[in-house]
Amino acid sequence: MEKAVTNGAVLLHSIFILTLLLAVSMANARSFKGFEALATKTPDCFSVYGVIQGDTCFAVTQQFNITQPCFEGLNPNLNCSALFIGQWLCVAGSF
Ligand SMILES: *[C@@H]1O[C@H](CO)[C@@H](O)[C@H](O)[C@H]1NC(C)=O
Ligand SMILES: *[C@@H]1O[C@H](CO)[C@@H](O)[C@H](O)[C@H]1NC(C)=O
């Protein structure tokens, strides 16, 4: 009986350690991802918008109330002279 209690405690302890390790490795994965995003300067996009006929970069920034520098940061390498219908633009996020 006493042995069973001890085994239970050891098991609980192991689970606790495992949980801790998992939490630490997840935190590491997250910070690595953050570092990678920083290194490659890939914006994190929270919201996208599909271009419709007649849209311009300016119209989209007005519609989503974002500044031009913000829009350019969210959409690196976007050519505003070559927008096409159905093109996905990032309209909210961080970069
Ligand atoms: C746009 O953003 C500005 C500054 O954040 C805010 O004052 C204004 O009310 C916003 N306009 C709309 C239509 O959301
Ligand atoms: C943007 O697109 C226009 C129209 O297709 C093209 O003439 C221009 O060279 C492009 N600019 C860049 C920087 O790719």
Side-chain angles (χ1 to χ4, degrees):
M1 190 60 187
E2 218 180 287
K3 186 118 203 258
V5 170
T6 310
N7 282 344
V10 167
L11 186 68
L12 260 180
H13 195 240
S14 311
I15 289 171
F16 176 71
I17 300 259
L18 272 177
T19 310
L20 213 69
L21 281 176
L22 199 69
V24 168
S25 65
M26 272 163 70
N28 279 343
R30 203 169 305 138
S31 66
F32 177 69
K33 198 178 160 218
F35 173 74
E36 204 175 43
L38 201 71
T40 58
K41 286 188 159 56
T42 305
D44 276 330
C45 198
F46 305 153
S47 179
V48 292
Y49 166 76
V51 171
I52 57 167
Q53 187 161 17
D55 267 344
T56 60
C57 286
F58 182 70
V60 174
T61 58
Q62 294 270 296
Q63 188 175 340
F64 292 93
N65 203 15
I66 54 180
T67 63
Q68 194 65 33
C70 178
F71 182 74
E72 284 165 9
L74 291 171
N75 299 279
N77 311 318
L78 175 68
N79 184 347
C80 281
S81 310
L83 284 187
F84 55 89
I85 294 167
Q87 182 173 14
W88 294 111
L89 300 177
C90 184
V91 292
S94 63
F95 59 91

